[in-house]
Amino acid sequence: MGGKQTDAVKQITYLAGALKAPRITEAAGRMADQARDAGWSFEDYLAAVLEREVSARNASGAELRIKAAGFPARKTLEDFDWDAQPTARQQIAALASGGFLLEAQNVVLLGPPGTGKTHLATALGIVAARHGHRVLFATATDWVTRLTDAHRQGNLPRELARLRRYGLIIVDEVGYLPFEQDAANLFFQLVSSRYEHASLVLTSNLPFSGWGGVFGDQAVAAAMIDRIVHHADVLTLKGASYRLRGRGIDSLPSIRTQDPAD
């Protein structure tokens, strides 16, 4: 028996290498005694070994997607201070299932600086990566720079088509800096290219009524908001900046928050 088992292990090792799945060898050896002792069928044993391989591949793939996303820091939902934003917890928990990505829905996080918008946007991006979606993160200014470069090189349609292959694009800090008209038009094309095709997560310190000033054109801003919000969850975060805690500063110059529909 021992010789036959040794030959089988050698064959499994060879076949796992040929399949470029070396972890199968370890899983097969580790689970063989358990399968014999429990009286598993051949099918049960094979399914268990392959399940370990698939789980390991998914975990490895998720890490690669997280690293490739360009997050400024690794932030998860488990790290978030829910005591500061208790009203957002239920809605974010629903989004964490990843269903919004399958339906090409958007998420908009509005609120003053320091209330956790970027943290939640990043955390949702990590959720998306773990669900098998490719993700890209950048500030609104960086997205405009990227699109401007593509436009100057005559590659804008190709770049927009390439970005549509990403399950989630995160646009951080909409409203911190105003855009020139050409930049606003390019950003509008990004939003339009993803409308009902793939998801966006956006963060902004401004209510929607203030976006006209950011994009320099009320009509462009209205058309953009219309496409973003048509299939979207909009969360308004409130409160003081967590960055000011313990520093003797009660508040920052405020930007009025209001109902997202305004």
Side-chain angles (χ1 to χ4, degrees):
M1 287 291 292
K4 289 183 179 180
Q5 287 184 14
T6 300
D7 290 343
V9 169
K10 289 180 179 178
Q11 188 173 15
I12 289 171
T13 301
Y14 168 75
L15 294 172
L19 291 170
K20 295 183 172 57
R23 287 171 296 224
I24 284 181
T25 302
E26 187 273 334
R30 179 164 46 84
M31 302 185 71
D33 290 337
Q34 181 182 356
R36 280 189 287 268
D37 293 342
W40 290 1
S41 68
F42 296 129
E43 292 84 358
D44 288 339
Y45 173 59
L46 178 59
V49 171
L50 294 178
E51 182 181 11
R52 299 301 189 279
E53 172 63 19
V54 170
S55 296
R57 285 194 180 195
N58 286 342
S60 177
E63 283 303 311
L64 291 174
R65 288 189 291 273
I66 290 168
K67 290 178 182 178
F71 298 121
R74 187 168 184 138
K75 303 286 186 179
T76 67
L77 296 178
E78 292 76 19
D79 300 333
F80 191 71
D81 182 5
W82 294 108
D83 290 338
Q85 300 293 343
T87 59
R89 188 166 198 162
Q90 185 173 357
Q91 200 167 0
I92 292 292
L95 292 169
S97 70
F100 76 98
L101 297 159
L102 300 177
E103 299 175 2
Q105 294 201 344
N106 303 320
V107 179
V108 184
L109 300 160
L110 305 175
T115 51
K117 301 184 300 298
T118 300
H119 186 140
L120 289 176
T122 300
L124 289 175
I126 289 175
V127 165
R130 288 174 176 166
H131 279 86
H133 298 276
R134 297 169 70 197
V135 182
L136 278 179
F137 178 107
T139 65
T141 301
D142 286 340
W143 279 117
V144 165
T145 299
R146 180 173 183 155
L147 296 172
T148 299
D149 289 344
H151 179 62
R152 287 173 179 167
Q153 296 167 15
N155 292 328
L156 182 61
R158 185 184 306 170
E159 177 70 359
L160 292 174
R162 191 179 72 83
L163 292 175
R164 275 179 55 176
R165 295 197 291 268
Y166 284 79
L168 178 62
I169 279 180
I170 300 173
V171 183
D172 197 28
E173 299 181 351
V174 175
Y176 282 80
L177 292 172
F179 294 138
E180 299 290 338
Q181 185 66 55
D182 288 346
N185 290 334
L186 289 171
F187 192 80
F188 174 76
Q189 290 189 60
L190 174 64
V191 170
S192 295
S193 72
R194 298 184 66 78
Y195 176 61
E196 297 187 332
H197 289 284
S199 297
L200 288 164
V201 170
L202 303 99
T203 76
S204 180
N205 61 323
L206 295 174
F208 289 130
S209 60
W211 285 28
V214 174
F215 294 102
D217 187 308
Q218 294 291 343
V220 169
M224 189 180 311
I225 293 167
D226 181 64
R227 285 164 175 75
I228 291 170
V229 177
H230 183 207
H231 305 293
D233 284 272
V234 181
L235 292 80
T236 301
L237 307 182
K238 299 179 181 180
S241 170
Y242 71 87
R243 301 184 186 95
L244 302 183
R245 293 175 189 172
R247 297 186 178 274
I249 303 174
D250 293 332
S251 64
L252 292 169
S254 62
I255 296 172
R256 182 175 63 91
T257 57
Q258 61 188 55
D259 190 292
D262 289 350

